[in-house]
């Protein structure tokens, strides 16, 4: 675990055990001359806007910008498996697999008509939940995500019930395997917090949080994290408010690539994370080194990353390796 920052006095979730299957070592250098190390807790590098060669190039550009870890999220059966394969090929890419809320209720949505978007096709959600449980037990993933609730695209009661049913089972997997969850909570932030606490999920990240300020404070007080995308650098008023009001010990950074970048409409990628950290530092009136160090600490905490002895490497992390 990283021990280069003072932890807050408020109650914190218990320290997670080292990840099984995936051995991730992170080396935090705190000596004079320490340079910022950045983390992307949520992106989609297997998205169609990232052909394989471009996704690999994006990872390389992220490393050049000192983005040490990139958590690549899956959404459904096909992307979950693509995430696992992609992360095997890229040591600083860590796999998270999940079921996106609209995919979770695809079977109920197939009975409805929509004018503004095409819903996902019906599929075997139960089989994917079983697969997720197997991957979690095997230690093949670092988190369950992207998962959650979405009340923006549908308010149909049957759809919402299906979403909640799937999310309850995902939370059960998270508790059983002691994994964090990476949450989509659009217009359902309060309900997701209730469900987390009902099922006693220990570690959770509210990805791209755009809910109310007071609720964000409750989320932080509960020991969970608010993740701010690089869109904050536009600047984006909601994310600026979160950066100012949420305790730094409860903030993480992400890109949600290919979405939510510093320039609206342009494809986003992990290399833009430094702009997010710089903006967070600016709005808080703190040094970027201090902000980057604490966010890196938060990342180590939530993902249960172990630290290695200091090395002579320029970059303060070591490659993730697959072990038997």
């Amino acid at each position: 675990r990283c021990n280069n920052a003072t932890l807050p006095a408020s109650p914190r979730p218990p320290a997670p055990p080292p990840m099984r299957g995936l051995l991730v070592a992170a080396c935090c250098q705190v000596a004079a001359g320490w340079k910022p190390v950045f983390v992307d807790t949520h992106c989609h590098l297997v998205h169609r806007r990232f052909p394989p060669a471009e996704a690999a190039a994006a990872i390389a550009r992220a490393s050049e910008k000192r983005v040490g870890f990139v958590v690549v999220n899956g959404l459904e059966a096909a992307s979950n498996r693509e995430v696992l394969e992609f992360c095997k090929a890229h040591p600083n890419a860590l796999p998270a697999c999940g079921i996106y809320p609209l995919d979770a209720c695809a079977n109920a949505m197939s009975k409805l008509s929509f004018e503004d978007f095409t819903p996902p096709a019906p599929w075997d959600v139960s089989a994917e939940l079983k697969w997720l449980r197997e991957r979690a037990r095997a230690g093949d993933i670092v988190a369950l995500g992207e998962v959650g609730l979405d009340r923006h695209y549908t308010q149909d009661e049957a759809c919402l019930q299906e979403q909640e049913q799937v999310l309850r089972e995902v939370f059960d997997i998270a508790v059983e395997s002691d994994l964090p969850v990476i949450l989509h909570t659009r217009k359902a932030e309060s309900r997701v917090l209730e469900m987390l606490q009902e099922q006693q999920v220990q570690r959770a990240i509210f990805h791209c949080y755009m809910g109310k300020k007071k609720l964000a404070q409750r989320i932080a007080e509960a020991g969970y994290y608010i993740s701010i995308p690089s869109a904050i650098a536009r600047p984006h008023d909601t994310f600026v408010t979160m950066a100012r009001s949420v305790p730094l010990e409860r903030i993480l950074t992400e890109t949600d690539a290919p979405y939510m970048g510093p320039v609206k409409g342009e494809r986003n990628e992990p290399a833009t994370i430094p702009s997010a950290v710089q903006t967070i530092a600016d709005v808080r009136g703190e040094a970027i080194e201090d902000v980057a160090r604490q966010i890196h600490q938060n990342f180590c905490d939530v993902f249960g990353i172990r630290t290695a002895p200091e090395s002579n490497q320029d970059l303060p992390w070591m490659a993730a390796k697959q072990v038997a």
Side-chain angles (χ1 to χ4, degrees):
R1 294 174 60 83
C2 298
N3 296 308
N4 60 353
T6 302
L7 300 181
S10 58
R12 298 174 65 92
M19 287 179 290
R20 294 164 295 139
L22 280 172
L23 170 62
V24 180
C27 179
C28 301
Q29 296 177 349
V30 294
W34 184 89
K35 297 178 182 179
V37 182
F38 307 103
V39 291
D40 184 350
T41 63
H42 183 95
C43 68
H44 302 282
L45 292 184
V46 298
H47 190 278
R48 63 183 179 276
R49 291 181 67 185
F50 285 103
E54 293 188 31
I59 282 286
R61 286 190 292 270
S63 294
E64 292 171 1
K65 294 290 186 180
R66 302 184 64 82
V67 180
F69 290 119
V70 175
V71 181
V72 186
N73 286 234
L75 304 172
E76 29 59 38
S79 63
N80 283 336
R81 286 147 187 81
E82 290 170 3
V83 163
L84 290 182
E85 290 304 310
F86 180 83
C87 292
K88 287 178 183 177
H90 301 282
N92 57 334
L94 306 181
C97 293
I99 300 176
Y100 188 73
L102 298 186
D103 291 282
C105 66
N107 296 319
M109 292 181 79
S110 68
K111 302 171 185 176
L112 306 174
S113 60
F114 298 88
E115 296 181 357
D116 53 347
F117 83 108
T118 302
W123 64 303
D124 193 340
V125 178
S126 297
E128 192 65 8
L129 285 166
K130 180 181 179 182
W131 182 87
L132 287 174
R133 192 178 294 274
E134 291 170 351
R135 299 286 70 72
R137 286 174 173 172
D140 293 339
I141 55 178
V142 300
L144 292 155
E146 180 175 355
V147 299
L149 302 179
D150 188 301
R151 292 178 175 170
H152 172 73
Y153 284 104
T154 179
Q155 310 236 332
D156 177 78
E157 190 60 32
C159 291
L160 298 178
Q161 287 180 1
E162 274 197 8
Q163 288 186 22
E164 289 205 9
Q165 181 179 351
V166 170
L167 189 58
R168 285 191 197 97
E169 186 155 351
V170 169
F171 285 175
D172 182 66
I173 298 169
V175 171
E176 176 191 277
S177 298
D178 197 14
L179 286 174
V181 290
I182 302 174
L183 297 162
H184 174 112
T185 60
R186 195 171 185 183
K187 295 188 178 180
E189 297 88 357
S190 180
R191 178 57 184 148
V192 172
L193 176 60
E194 289 175 358
M195 292 179 67
L196 285 168
Q197 294 178 312
E198 286 169 2
Q199 291 189 240
Q200 299 182 359
V201 177
Q202 294 297 309
R203 291 173 287 145
I205 300 167
F206 282 69
H207 125 73
C208 207
Y209 178 85
M210 297 183 70
K212 296 182 181 298
K213 176 180 172 181
K214 287 186 178 179
L215 182 58
Q217 293 169 342
R218 285 176 52 204
I219 290 167
E221 289 168 0
Y224 303 129
Y225 295 84
I226 299 292
S227 186
I228 298 176
S230 45
I232 189 177
R234 294 177 186 177
H236 189 294
D237 290 346
T238 299
F239 300 131
V240 167
T241 297
M242 293 303 116
R244 285 197 181 113
S245 59
V246 174
L248 186 57
E249 294 81 7
R250 289 288 172 262
I251 290 177
L252 288 165
T253 48
E254 65 170 85
T255 57
D256 197 21
Y259 311 107
M260 302 305 292
V263 180
K264 191 172 183 179
E266 290 188 5
R267 188 185 74 180
N268 196 15
E269 63 177 69
T272 65
I273 284 290
S275 68
V277 179
Q278 182 65 68
T279 306
I280 293 169
D282 290 345
V283 301
R284 295 179 67 93
E286 300 179 28
I288 186 173
E289 292 81 5
D290 295 337
V291 172
R293 183 181 289 111
Q294 183 60 59
I295 291 174
H296 188 259
Q297 168 76 56
N298 300 344
F299 184 91
C300 289
D301 287 346
V302 74
F303 289 104
I305 292 177
R306 299 180 293 189
T307 57
E310 287 190 9
S311 70
N312 293 324
Q313 293 175 294
D314 176 54
L315 300 180
W317 64 81
M318 297 176 64
K321 296 181 180 178
Q322 195 78 20
V323 298

